[in-house]
């Protein structure tokens, strides 16, 4: 058994697995959620993103079976034990959280990998619907387990693409590769600078604590889903913009091309395109400033990113805007919504001495506006997916 700080949780999960399924698991794996520091909706436009894995994870205890039966249970959600046949997986039959592990098994099968039946018990402390990629944490933990136990031998890049296929074609969410790349390839104390065109990764130092800062996550409690129409319509606008501009992807449009683009696109499509183009530029600037000057010098870029998502991409909401504006007014050096939008969380990069002031002010502001009380917590860059036992 592992001797890491996760040992008590691993022991508890293994014990519950044994009492539920009748024997010990073959192993326990975990994968983290992620915060996207900057670079929103650029991933499926073959652009640049800068997420990092966080210290909140999904854990799965898994045992391979000698038949095609799959049995799934979660410690939360009240769904109870779910059973399926690994050789008869169809997207329409999967419900709730089980879409994610079943989608991973299906995606591996689509790659020609023989996936046996398995028993799986899942536990997670990644907040649901908060824009911290709880679904990808589950998928990345599951693919780490099945990749090892099935002997598939996939590398990180192939696991990223397999989980993306699970999301796109099984779950029905038209997401890119950012979330699973952060979860599978994250590193403690670093952000993951990802080029979504070729999957190349550069680990960029991001140690807020050393700079006298904390990164607050403000979970607005406004739930969102990437499988709904808002995300899909933004992606469709981006694809239309690239088509009209005659480029393979909006990655290939630069700041200097925007004036010409404004005359070729309708106003809505142009604003969508402008967000992607300027957001890519902000990611590159953020990487440069983190590398040369440190976290204290990226605040204005975070602010500009939020304004672009609010005004050009139109994926914010009143709760997110209030969280961002209040954080800035009470000491945060930069703040933005993070994740796919339409709810979820904001992040606020805040001097340690102003942390409590920001927390208290946001709670008061939400109460005054009649919004649900937000959850506010800190995150730090953590390691990517790993086997714990």
């Amino acid at each position: 058994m592992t001797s890491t700080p996760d040992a008590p949780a691993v022991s508890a999960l293994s014990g519950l697995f044994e009492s539920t399924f009748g024997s010990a698991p073959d192993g326990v794996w975990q994968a983290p959620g992620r915060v996207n520091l900057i670079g929103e909706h650029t991933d499926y436009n073959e652009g640049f993103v800068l997420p990092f894995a966080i210290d909140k994870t999904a854990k799965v205890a898994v045992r391979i079976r000698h038949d095609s039966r799959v049995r799934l249970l979660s410690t939360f959600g009240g769904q109870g034990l779910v059973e399926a046949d690994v050789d008869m997986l169809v997207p329409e039959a999967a419900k709730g959280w089980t879409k994610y592990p079943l989608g991973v098994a299906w995606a591996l099968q689509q790659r020609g990998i023989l996936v046996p039946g398995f028993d799986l018990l899942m536990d997670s402390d990644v907040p649901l619907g908060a824009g911290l990629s709880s679904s990808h944490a589950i998928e990345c933990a599951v693919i780490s387990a099945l990749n090892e136990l099935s002997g598939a031998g996939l590398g990180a890049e192939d696991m990223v693409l397999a989980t993306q296929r699970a999301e796109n074609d099984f779950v029905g969410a038209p997401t890119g590769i950012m979330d699973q790349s952060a979860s599978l390839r994250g590193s403690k104390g670093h952000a993951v600078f990802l080029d979504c065109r070729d999957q190349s990764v550069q680990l960029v130092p991001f140690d807020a604590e050393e700079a006298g800062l904390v990164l607050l996550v403000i979970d607005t409690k406004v739930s969102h889903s990437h499988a709904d129409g808002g995300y899909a319509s933004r992606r469709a606008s981006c694809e239309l913009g690239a088509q009209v501009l005659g480029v393979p992807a909006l990655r290939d449009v630069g700041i200097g091309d925007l004036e010409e683009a404004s005359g070729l696109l309708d106003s809505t499509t142009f604003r969508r395109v402008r967000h992607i183009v300027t957001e890519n530029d902000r990611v590159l600037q953020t990487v440069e400033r983190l590398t040369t000057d440190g976290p204290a010098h990226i605040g204005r870029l975070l602010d500009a990113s939020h304004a672009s998502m609010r005004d050009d991409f139109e994926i914010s909401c009143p709760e997110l805007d209030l969280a961002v504006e209040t954080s800035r007014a009470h000491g945060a050096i930069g703040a933005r919504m993070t994740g796919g939008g339409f709810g979820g969380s904001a992040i606020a990069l805040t001097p340690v001495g102003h942390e409590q002031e920001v927390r208290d002010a946001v709670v008061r502001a939400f109460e005054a506006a009649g919004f649900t009380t937000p959850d506010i917590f800190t995150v730090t860059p953590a390691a990517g997916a790993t086997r714990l036992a």
Side-chain angles (χ1 to χ4, degrees):
M1 183 60 67
T2 179
S3 59
T4 69
D6 295 299
V10 171
S11 180
L13 193 64
S14 297
L16 181 57
F17 183 99
E18 187 165 358
S19 65
T20 301
F21 296 113
S23 60
D26 292 330
V28 178
W29 290 258
Q30 78 171 15
R34 65 95 189 94
V35 157
N36 191 23
L37 189 60
I38 196 164
E40 225 64 75
H41 289 261
T42 49
D43 57 346
Y44 56 79
N45 289 287
E46 300 184 14
F48 305 106
V49 293
L50 191 64
F52 61 86
I54 62 174
D55 48 346
K56 294 184 180 295
T57 64
K59 294 179 174 65
V60 294
V62 182
R63 182 186 64 198
I64 291 298
R65 299 176 57 88
H66 298 294
D67 56 22
S68 61
R69 192 178 181 194
V70 177
R71 296 188 295 177
L72 305 169
L73 182 67
S74 169
T75 61
F76 62 89
Q79 195 168 343
L81 186 70
V82 175
E83 300 193 27
D85 189 312
V86 76
D87 294 328
M88 301 179 65
L89 298 178
V90 290
E92 298 78 15
K95 305 296 181 185
W97 75 274
T98 66
K99 294 181 295 186
Y100 305 114
L102 293 177
V104 167
W106 175 87
L108 289 173
Q109 290 174 327
Q110 302 307 301
R111 297 178 70 95
I113 295 168
L114 181 62
V115 179
F118 57 93
D119 295 330
L120 181 148
L121 177 64
M122 193 272 291
D123 182 54
S124 178
D125 63 358
V126 184
L128 301 178
L132 303 181
S133 202
S134 57
S135 61
H136 285 95
I138 297 170
E139 291 170 346
C140 291
V142 172
I143 202 167
S144 297
L146 293 182
N147 183 49
E148 182 176 339
L149 294 174
S150 70
L154 299 180
E157 292 88 346
D158 285 329
M159 287 196 286
V160 164
L161 294 176
T163 51
Q164 183 192 22
R165 183 163 189 187
E167 277 281 318
N168 292 174
D169 299 337
F170 195 90
V171 176
T175 56
I177 64 170
M178 175 182 69
D179 296 346
Q180 51 271 75
S181 294
S183 187
L184 288 164
R185 306 176 75 179
S187 177
K188 184 176 181 180
H190 292 80
V192 179
F193 175 39
L194 172 67
D195 183 333
C196 295
R197 172 159 283 172
D198 63 11
Q199 282 205 66
S200 60
V201 160
Q202 175 188 340
L203 296 176
V204 178
F206 179 62
D207 190 339
E209 183 179 357
E210 186 179 16
L213 302 166
V214 295
L215 191 74
L216 291 173
V217 175
I218 303 164
D219 179 1
T220 65
K221 297 297 185 179
V222 179
S223 187
H224 71 161
S225 170
H226 285 171
D228 66 13
Y231 190 102
S233 70
R234 296 310 185 277
R235 183 161 186 165
S237 288
C238 292
E239 291 169 352
L240 173 62
Q243 180 182 4
V244 172
L245 296 176
V247 293
L250 293 184
R251 151 72 170 273
D252 301 298
V253 181
I255 297 288
D257 300 320
L258 287 175
E259 183 176 356
E260 180 182 359
S262 67
L264 298 172
L265 302 169
D266 66 86
S267 60
T268 298
T269 304
F270 173 70
R271 284 186 287 110
R272 307 295 188 248
V273 168
R274 183 168 60 188
H275 165 71
I276 300 301
V277 173
T278 57
E279 187 80 343
N280 273 324
D281 185 64
R282 284 186 288 269
V283 173
L284 296 176
Q285 289 188 57
T286 301
V287 169
E288 182 179 2
R289 293 189 188 184
L290 286 175
T291 303
T292 58
D293 302 317
H297 298 268
I298 66 171
R300 289 185 179 180
L301 291 164
L302 302 183
D303 293 346
S305 176
H306 184 79
S308 182
M309 290 185 287
R310 181 192 63 212
D311 301 334
D312 277 354
F313 224 59
E314 296 182 282
I315 55 173
S316 191
C317 65
E319 291 86 349
L320 286 169
D321 291 340
L322 182 61
V324 166
E325 293 159 8
T326 305
S327 297
R328 290 179 190 146
H330 290 270
I333 65 170
R336 65 186 287 273
M337 57 151 285
T338 186
F342 311 102
S345 296
I347 55 173
L349 190 59
T350 304
V352 171
H354 288 279
E355 177 185 350
Q356 195 58 49
E357 180 183 349
V358 170
R359 287 175 177 268
D360 293 343
V362 170
V363 170
R364 288 196 305 269
F366 271 55
E367 181 180 5
F371 297 154
T372 300
T373 302
D375 277 347
I376 305 175
F377 50 90
T378 61
V379 291
T380 57
T386 187
R387 181 170 182 164
L388 297 174

